[in-house]
């Protein structure tokens, strides 16, 4: 079980670090123009950067506390935060009638929930 949790934690960290990094580094207009991130057309620059920052923090949070043993309870807390991010993403895409990203959102939500449940002390 520990190996499966680590694999999922590393996968989540990689996905959220990449996605969040793009949102923080690239201009919103450039990301929206790609055609894959239409929700950004209706979001503010600050909103997109904030989502990116939350994703980056979540990426570090699902790895570093558990890896270092320092405040390891923050790993499942970060995973819960990523679940919340995906609930928000699902809501945005459903309201905008964007069906294509929904499967990825559900998978990321389930993976984050797996880490949250698997790493909570108890």
């Amino acid at each position: 079980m520990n190996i499966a949790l680590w694999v999922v934690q590393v996968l989540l960290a990689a996905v959220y670090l990449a996605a969040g990094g793009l949102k923080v580094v690239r201009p919103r207009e450039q990301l929206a123009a790609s055609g894959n991130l239409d929700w950004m057309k209706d979001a503010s620059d600050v909103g997109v950067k904030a989502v990116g920052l939350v994703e980056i923090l979540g990426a570090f949070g699902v790895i570093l506390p558990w890896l270092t043993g320092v405040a390891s309870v923050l790993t499942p807390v970060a995973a819960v935060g990523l679940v919340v991010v995906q609930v928000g993403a699902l809501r945005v895409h459903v309201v905008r009638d964007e069906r294509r990203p929904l499967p990825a959102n559900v998978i990321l939500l389930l993976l984050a929930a797996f880490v949250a449940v698997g790493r909570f002390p108890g």
Side-chain angles (χ1 to χ4, degrees), residues 7 14 24 32 54-56 70 75 77 82 86-87 94-95 101:
V7 168
V24 168
V54 167
E55 290 175 340
I56 291 169
V70 176
T75 290
V77 170
L82 293 176
Q86 287 309 312
V87 168
V94 167
V95 166

Side-chain angles (χ1 to χ4, degrees), residues 34-81:
S34 73
N36 294 324
L37 302 166
D38 286 342
W39 66 271
M40 289 185 187
K41 294 175 184 172
D42 298 327
S44 68
D45 291 338
V46 171
V48 172
K49 301 290 183 209
V51 169
L53 183 59
V54 167
E55 290 175 340
I56 291 169
L57 291 172
F60 286 122
V62 295
I63 294 287
L64 292 179
W66 201 266
L67 181 66
T68 63
V70 176
S72 57
V73 72
L74 292 178
T75 290
V77 170
V80 169

